[in-house]
Amino acid sequence: MEDDDNDCCLLCGTAEGDSSNLTSQSSLQTNATVGCGHQFCKSCTDRELSSRKEFPCPRCGIAVKKVTLSTRSLDEIMVKNDTDCRRRVTKIFNKVEKDFETLFKYNNYLEEVEDIIYSIVNEKPNAEEMKTKVKKEEEVNKKQIVVRQSRR
């Protein structure tokens, strides 16, 4: 996302809080899709989505849908996604240093956990593979996970 379109509608140019546009509440909506994050005013999104389910973002071409629009900024959305994913993944991948023979092996484990979180949050090509890995870890090590959770 480029900096020159912050706080204004990418379609009509209405700025956040612009009182000259009386038809709009001037509340911008962010296309909360990884790779986009561009903003649009409610009037423009209502107009564009009145006759179709989605429209392409004029800047990056990524689909804008009603379900991907949010009044929060892309940064706020990404932080929440990261926090939620981190909470879910670390609840399952919850080993501690003493569970490993060496510090090196523990650090590799932590790096693997970070790679999983990064892939899922940023919708990387291997995100589905990482989600499957988390589910498998939970299924295979359910008892050990519960035991480690109870130690905290």
Side-chain angles (χ1 to χ4, degrees), residues 129-152:
E129 176 187 333
M130 294 296 119
K131 289 176 187 177
T132 302
K133 187 173 190 170
V134 171
K135 286 179 185 176
K136 185 176 179 182
E137 175 74 14
E138 184 175 30
E139 291 168 7
V140 170
N141 298 309
K142 196 163 196 107
K143 282 187 176 182
Q144 292 92 335
I145 291 168
V146 171
V147 168
R148 285 191 298 268
Q149 286 174 347
S150 68
R151 284 190 222 154
R152 293 182 178 198

Side-chain angles (χ1 to χ4, degrees), residues 118-136:
Y118 180 83
S119 293
I120 294 171
V121 169
N122 293 290
E123 300 174 9
K124 294 297 181 184
N126 65 340
E128 288 305 315
E129 176 187 333
M130 294 296 119
K131 289 176 187 177
T132 302
K133 187 173 190 170
V134 171
K135 286 179 185 176
K136 185 176 179 182

Side-chain angles (χ1 to χ4, degrees), residues 36 38 55-64:
C36 182
H38 295 113
F55 65 94
C57 173
R59 176 69 44 89
C60 64
I62 292 177
V64 178

Side-chain angles (χ1 to χ4, degrees), residues 59-71:
R59 176 69 44 89
C60 64
I62 292 177
V64 178
K65 304 174 188 174
K66 190 170 193 153
V67 297
T68 63
L69 292 170
S70 174
T71 55

